[in-house]
Amino acid sequence: EVQLVESGGGLVQPGASLKLSCVASGFTFSDYWMSWVRQTPGKTMEWIGDIKYDGSYTNYAPSLKNRFTISRDNAKSTLYLQMSNVRSEDTATYYCTRNTMRGVMDAWGQGASVTVSS
Amino acid sequence: DVVMTQTPVSLPVSLGGQASISCRSSQSLVHSNGNTYLHWYLQKPGQSPQLLIYRVSNRFSGVPDRFSGSGSGTDFTLKISRVEPEDLGDYYCLQSTHFPYTFGAGTKLELK
């Protein structure tokens, strides 16, 4: 069974950094592109970016590119999202997803909740 | 960015009835490779989104044939026939033809 389990969320102060992790199981992690998507409390969905199966290439939403970094460790079957200089508008649930063909996200984690507040 | 306009915002339905959700894009979703990357997701209450339809009309594994997708270019539709209780929730369209990928604002399918 395909499983994606996010962790690392919580309450963080504006301007701080936070790193989310997503541990994958039930499939060969190194065969798949992976993405991060977030959903605001108002339910707006936003694609953050994705990373190639070998970690050699990434795409980002331009609005987040300067503050968010996606990486992966295939030996640990783990996807990461490094968030820096967080703002209140980064408050959201963050999902990691497995991608099949271009942008088709066929498996989602349960989400990690991030709240940015002082 | 490509703007995805999804309508209606809320869709009251009766069990056993039919529902239709529209998604329109601000530019054509036909990729240079000829494929159209328009997908549909359902988020049931308290759950993560789940893939229903990919590339306009292809049902994902395990998705009942009550769900069908159609459309081309900038105009797409998801139809649900014989609505069942487990179909209730928020539906989102997603385009992955153009970067950045963008979602519609969602349609809440609820009981009439």
Side-chain angles (χ1 to χ4, degrees), chain A residues 44-63:
Chain A
T44 298
M45 302 283 288
E46 183 176 20
W47 176 78
I48 296 169
D50 59 16
I51 185 167
K52 194 176 179 180
Y53 44 81
D54 60 1
S56 64
Y57 195 78
T58 50
N59 297 295
Y60 293 96
S63 61

Side-chain angles (χ1 to χ4, degrees), chain B:
Chain B
D1 298 2
V2 176
V3 177
M4 304 298 290
T5 302
Q6 199 175 326
T7 56
V9 171
S10 174
L11 183 53
V13 295
S14 300
L15 295 178
Q18 182 168 307
S20 179
I21 301 171
S22 170
C23 187
R24 289 182 174 165
S25 57
S26 60
Q27 58 185 277
S28 173
L29 297 186
V30 180
H31 192 271
S32 57
N33 65 14
N35 291 321
T36 300
Y37 295 97
L38 184 285
H39 326 295
W40 292 95
Y41 292 84
L42 164 61
Q43 187 174 31
K44 298 181 182 180
Q47 296 186 18
S48 303
Q50 59 189 77
L51 178 64
L52 291 175
I53 302 284
Y54 63 94
R55 281 200 292 128
V56 182
S57 59
N58 297 278
R59 275 187 302 276
F60 184 56
S61 174
V63 174
D65 59 7
R66 300 182 291 100
F67 292 87
S68 63
S70 62
S72 62
T74 62
D75 203 347
F76 304 91
T77 302
L78 174 71
K79 289 187 177 178
I80 312 160
S81 61
R82 306 182 305 280
V83 171
E84 298 188 4
E86 58 264 32
D87 301 337
L88 302 179
D90 297 321
Y91 288 80
Y92 296 91
C93 58
L94 162 69
Q95 71 81 21
S96 59
T97 296
H98 304 283
F99 285 110
Y101 301 161
T102 47
F103 289 85
T107 295
K108 186 176 190 67
L109 188 69
E110 54 192 359
L111 284 179
K112 192 176 288 185

Side-chain angles (χ1 to χ4, degrees), chain A residues 94-107:
Chain A
Y94 288 74
Y95 295 99
C96 74
T97 78
R98 184 181 79 167
N99 298 359
T100 53
M101 66 195 78
R102 181 185 176 98
V104 177
M105 303 170 209
D106 73 336

